[in-house]
Amino acid sequence: MREPPSSGLQLDRLLELLAGSAGEGCSQVELARSLEMSRAELSGVLARFQAEGWPLEVGSDRRVRLTAAADMPVAFRVRPHLSTDRLGRRFHHALRVDSTNDAARRLAEAGATEGTVVVAEEQTAGRGRLGRTWLSRKGKDILLSLVLRPHVDPAQAPGLNLVVGLAASQAIGEVAGIPTDLKWPNDVLTSAGKCCGVLTEMNADPGKIRFVIVGVGINVNGTALPKPIAGRASTLEQAAGSPIPRPRLVAALLNRLEALYLVFLDQGLRPLLERWVASSSSVRGRPILVSNPGRSLRGTTAGLSEQGALRVRREDGRLEEVLAGDVVQW
Ligand code: BTN
């Protein structure tokens, strides 16, 4: 199993020391001492991290400084805002991965504990629901995946989709201060379009979940989106009118998700459904078209089932429950 290249305590500690030194930077003697390595080893480590793209600079005074990255959701910037017991206590940040869901899955297969988080600045193979590609902008978005090991029946796992979408909408409301709307099953929308998507992938044996990877993509800063999604998608900055601090948003997402996840584990989806429905303008009385491979369904939304399926009143009056699918018109 290959971990994200820049994960690990060494990088976390180095970034923490440099961030703590403000513009002054740190002398290489201090750094080598704090990181318990020789000067030669430190030079190698610095060169490796610089080659990976970390914004480190060695000045003419030989001091090492962090030149940017105030907004990077690295562990030491997220932790001060984190109030969780489980989620995000193990935290990997990478500049670039294929997909954070794949990186998290590799970690889970190697035994990573529940709550392990992978965050990246860039994905080379980001995935969306229903086999789609997820496009993102380097250093501007939140690309986060989480390892969960819920002790629930695999049949209950789809409920997690709703739980994560609800947590994301709460976190966005808290940090960006903007109204959001949930679109079944788990898209978060601003008035300008979709700002967040969730991809939940389960790995189970018969009757038992081994792990679930929860992937969350949020379009956060900047106002320009890649062509294929511009017009349909939105960023939080567009809606809020100013940039949003990504470390705080990552922490809020984990805080909100842990609170809802504990309710889900303890009492199931039922107590959360009402909150979900209250956060969605389209889950009742909205004419929709649901597209599934080989079949599409036209009707009007009629709330959620206890398992979180979307109830649709068909044009012939019959009620159907949609467990998966793409709501293409609403
Ligand atoms: C959707 O289609 O709406 C779901 C999008 C999920 C995207 C996120 S970004 C972080 C994680 N890694 C991925 O490859 N996908 C998810």
Side-chain angles (χ1 to χ4, degrees):
M1 140 66 230
R2 189 168 49 82
E3 285 203 356
S6 301
S7 69
L9 293 176
Q10 203 176 48
L11 177 64
D12 268 4
R13 182 79 188 116
L14 177 65
L15 293 176
E16 192 166 10
L17 289 166
L18 295 176
S21 71
E24 292 281 289
C26 296
S27 79
Q28 296 190 38
V29 175
E30 283 169 64
L31 284 178
R33 194 182 314 117
S34 304
L35 295 168
E36 297 178 1
M37 59 178 63
S38 68
R39 287 282 303 281
E41 282 168 331
L42 177 70
S43 299
V45 165
L46 290 174
R48 181 157 56 85
F49 289 152
Q50 278 176 319
E52 280 180 18
W54 289 94
L56 305 174
E57 165 191 277
V58 182
S60 51
D61 55 0
R62 312 296 306 147
R63 292 178 78 81
V64 184
R65 292 181 182 83
L66 206 51
T67 53
D71 185 49
M72 265 193 193
V74 289
F76 78 88
R77 292 207 200 277
V78 173
R79 278 208 181 105
H81 307 287
L82 208 57
S83 57
T84 56
D85 287 328
R86 301 188 194 184
L87 306 192
R89 293 292 153 192
R90 289 190 181 260
F91 197 100
H92 300 266
H93 177 280
L95 291 177
R96 176 194 277 192
V97 290
D98 43 4
S99 149
T100 54
N101 266 35
D102 292 339
R105 178 183 41 77
R106 292 189 288 265
L107 291 170
E109 278 164 356
T113 51
E114 168 151 284
T116 300
V117 166
V118 177
V119 172
E121 296 301 308
E122 186 182 8
Q123 290 186 135
T124 53
R127 289 184 283 112
R129 289 176 62 240
L130 308 168
R132 298 198 184 106
T133 300
W134 181 260
L135 297 171
S136 56
R137 298 144 319 131
K138 182 175 169 180
K140 297 213 177 298
D141 294 327
I142 287 179
L143 306 165
L144 175 148
S145 298
L146 184 65
V147 178
L148 294 180
R149 297 185 183 276
H151 294 286
V152 299
D153 191 275
Q156 277 183 269
L160 269 175
N161 263 319
L162 301 186
V163 173
V164 180
L166 181 58
S169 76
Q170 291 178 344
I172 291 168
E174 176 189 324
V175 178
I178 51 172
T180 56
D181 192 12
L182 281 170
K183 179 187 161 212
W184 187 89
N186 50 22
D187 287 351
V188 185
L189 316 177
T190 68
S191 54
K194 173 167 168 174
C195 64
C196 169
V198 177
L199 176 66
T200 307
E201 296 176 310
M202 178 168 69
N203 184 309
D205 293 326
K208 187 174 183 300
I209 295 178
R210 289 181 61 224
F211 57 82
V212 176
I213 303 299
V214 167
V216 183
I218 309 180
N219 307 326
V220 184
N221 286 325
T223 49
L225 283 162
K227 257 217 180 93
I229 56 170
R232 286 184 286 131
S234 69
T235 70
L236 301 187
E237 180 173 346
Q238 269 171 347
S242 54
I244 307 302
R246 289 187 300 151
R248 270 193 60 208
L249 186 53
V250 165
L253 174 64
L254 297 172
N255 294 341
R256 296 287 186 156
L257 182 54
E258 181 164 296
L260 298 179
Y261 179 59
L262 293 178
V263 174
F264 175 75
L265 290 183
D266 197 39
Q267 302 168 53
L269 190 58
R270 193 194 282 235
L272 303 173
L273 285 174
E274 211 172 295
R275 286 189 235 174
W276 200 99
V277 168
S279 309
S280 172
S281 69
S282 52
V283 74
R284 281 208 183 106
R286 177 75 59 99
I288 57 160
L289 172 65
V290 186
S291 163
N292 263 325
R295 192 174 106 92
S296 61
L297 169 68
R298 203 174 277 284
T300 305
T301 55
L304 299 179
S305 75
E306 283 191 8
Q307 289 71 41
L310 180 66
R311 289 199 168 118
V312 180
R313 176 79 58 196
R314 290 169 27 149
E315 284 160 346
D316 62 9
R318 294 220 318 262
L319 203 57
E320 280 216 21
E321 290 189 356
V322 180
L323 276 164
D326 200 16
V327 180
V328 287
Q329 276 174 25
W330 84 101

